[in-house]
Amino acid sequence: MKINNKKEVNTYMAFQLVVMVLLFLITIALNHLGYHLFSRVFALAALLVLLYGILKNQFVFEYENSGQVISIKSYQWLSLGRKMPVFEMPHKKIVRTKIKEHTFRKYLIIVFFNSSGKMLKRNIDITFCSKSQANQLLRDITNNLAKKNKELISEK
């Protein structure tokens, strides 16, 4: 199963870029017409939109489940598709997952055992995934955990 948020991030970032360009064009036009105070206000608004975009740090999120391994990759919108593996783990090492939502961010929290047997927790930013994508992601990982638990019970 594959899940990604590329379409949502592309739409959001394109809208943000259009707004910034319009604000800068209005700034230039107002400055040229002699409305210096208004041009500074629009320049400040354009800079705030730019700063918001930098702080929001839009990432494209890709989830793939090959049957044995869960793979989550992430890359920035303007990175020309250079994908960075954020998390790759066999199903058998994952203990539990949940989604935690903050004011402007959404995280997938995965608790797993590392190679030395320590229990670790990993927070993965899935902010731009829709509610249905996040639920589908959580359901897919949880289904694999349930299958793993059934196998462990049947082995006993």
Side-chain angles (χ1 to χ4, degrees):
M1 167 180 269
K2 290 184 179 186
I3 299 172
N4 69 41
N5 66 342
K6 189 173 186 174
K7 185 177 179 181
E8 291 87 359
V9 172
N10 284 341
T11 303
Y12 179 83
M13 290 300 293
F15 176 75
Q16 187 175 352
L17 288 173
V18 167
V19 168
M20 279 185 5
V21 167
L22 286 175
L23 287 171
F24 277 122
L25 289 175
I26 291 171
T27 300
I28 292 169
L30 287 174
N31 198 25
H32 181 69
L33 294 173
Y35 296 105
H36 301 294
L37 179 63
F38 288 121
S39 69
R40 289 183 181 149
V41 170
F42 278 97
L44 179 64
L47 289 174
L48 288 175
V49 170
L50 178 64
L51 180 65
Y52 175 76
I54 291 170
L55 290 176
K56 196 74 171 164
N57 208 7
Q58 288 77 16
F59 279 92
V60 175
F61 170 85
E62 292 181 354
Y63 165 80
E64 186 175 347
N65 181 356
S66 66
Q68 297 296 321
V69 176
I70 291 176
S71 176
I72 298 174
K73 296 181 176 100
S74 180
Y75 58 95
Q76 283 187 325
W77 185 69
L78 290 174
S79 69
L80 303 174
R82 289 176 287 178
K83 299 174 186 174
M84 304 172 292
V86 174
F87 184 81
E88 288 187 347
M89 184 66 58
H91 289 289
K92 61 184 178 181
K93 291 191 175 198
I94 296 175
V95 178
R96 66 180 173 271
T97 60
K98 69 178 180 178
I99 293 178
K100 191 173 190 178
E101 294 187 32
H102 292 291
T103 308
F104 295 111
R105 295 272 191 206
K106 191 182 332 179
Y107 294 98
L108 172 67
I109 299 172
I110 301 176
V111 178
F112 60 96
F113 288 109
N114 67 359
S115 57
S116 64
K118 282 181 146 179
M119 190 177 285
L120 300 174
K121 181 170 84 169
R122 180 75 187 256
N123 297 341
I124 300 169
D125 190 357
I126 58 169
T127 301
F128 282 95
C129 286
S130 67
K131 189 83 167 162
S132 64
Q133 286 175 330
N135 288 336
Q136 187 179 11
L137 173 69
L138 189 62
R139 188 175 36 243
D140 187 59
I141 295 173
T142 305
N143 285 343
N144 288 319
L145 291 176
K147 288 177 189 175
K148 178 186 80 167
N149 290 337
K150 284 181 185 178
E151 289 173 5
L152 289 175
I153 291 170
S154 65
E155 288 177 7
K156 291 181 182 180

